[in-house]
């Protein structure tokens, strides 16, 4: 992911979206995760938010690009088994801001 993100920004894209992160690691939904609806020319996405967790995600690349030009978009989400979804989202938001 880090190399791809950097290369896309160097091509001149105004921003790059790098996926989603949850506070703790979690797998995505069981396969199959994508379903094609031929009659409707549509796809149903049931990927789930598979994530390596905030700490690993930060170590894997975002920290290395601190100060680099370009906007990196990140989706944040609560863990599936969390008791307090709002607390998860606050933790992610505050954690990302502290690290920037």
């Amino acid at each position: 992911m880090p190399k791809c993100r950097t290369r896309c920004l160097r091509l001149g894209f105004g921003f790059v979206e790098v996926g989603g992160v949850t506070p703790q690691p979690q797998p995505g939904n069981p396969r199959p995760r994508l379903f094609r609806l031929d009659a409707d020319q549509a796809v149903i996405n049931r990927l789930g938010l598979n994530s390596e967790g905030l700490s690993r995600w930060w170590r894997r690349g975002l920290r290395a690009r601190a100060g680099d030009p370009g906007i990196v978009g990140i989706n944040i989400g609560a863990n599936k088994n969390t008791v307090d979804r709002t607390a998860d989202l606050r933790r992610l938001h505050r954690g990302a801001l502290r690290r920037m």
Side-chain angles (χ1 to χ4, degrees):
M1 176 177 29
K3 288 181 184 179
C4 179
R5 177 190 60 238
T6 300
R7 289 177 182 156
C8 286
L9 287 170
R10 287 183 184 158
L11 286 172
F13 289 99
F15 68 92
V16 176
E17 192 274 324
V18 296
V21 65
T22 55
Q24 300 299 319
Q26 71 179 17
N29 289 328
R31 293 178 187 220
R33 299 176 188 179
L34 293 172
F35 304 89
R36 183 179 301 273
L37 302 176
D38 292 327
D40 297 316
Q41 297 182 344
V43 174
I44 296 175
N45 167 351
R46 293 186 186 151
L47 295 173
L49 186 53
N50 55 315
S51 172
E52 295 179 331
L54 179 61
S55 294
R56 176 143 168 85
W57 175 84
W58 181 254
R59 288 190 314 266
R60 279 191 69 213
L62 205 61
R63 176 179 50 187
R65 76 163 315 277
D68 287 352
I71 298 168
V72 175
I74 305 151
N75 295 302
I76 62 173
N79 284 101
K80 289 180 186 179
N81 62 352
T82 191
V83 174
D84 187 347
R85 299 180 75 74
T86 303
D88 273 10
L89 296 174
R90 282 189 185 128
R91 179 177 172 203
L92 288 164
H93 181 258
R94 290 179 183 147
L97 290 177
R98 271 196 305 260
R99 290 173 164 99
M100 295 293 176

